[in-house]
Amino acid sequence: MWDDLFRALALVLVIEGLLPFAAPARWRETMLRLASLDDRQLRFVGVSAIVGGMIILQLVRLL
């Protein structure tokens, strides 16, 4: 179980690093926009990411 958790964490880090590596200016612009959101909007972005990730996990489990 722990090895799966660490693999998932490693995969998240790889994916998170792709955009700053491939398009640093665009990534910086996006982060500045996110930083300017109020708390309610930022929470919505966060919960949307959580729900999207859960949906993808369920779809992968079905395949």
Side-chain angles (χ1 to χ4, degrees):
M1 181 180 127
W2 286 104
D3 55 335
D4 290 336
L5 182 63
F6 286 125
R7 284 185 190 129
L9 179 59
L11 187 57
V12 166
L13 291 173
V14 168
I15 292 170
E16 288 284 329
L18 287 175
L19 283 176
F21 177 75
R26 181 78 170 169
W27 181 82
R28 185 178 297 114
E29 179 183 322
T30 302
M31 291 301 111
L32 288 172
R33 285 185 185 176
L34 281 173
S36 69
L37 295 178
D38 64 30
D39 288 348
R40 185 176 176 152
Q41 292 171 316
L42 197 51
R43 282 191 179 105
F44 180 76
V45 170
V47 78
S48 298
I50 291 168
V51 170
M54 290 172 65
I55 289 170
I56 291 170
L57 279 173
Q58 289 302 316
L59 289 173
V60 167
R61 287 182 79 191
L62 291 175
L63 300 175

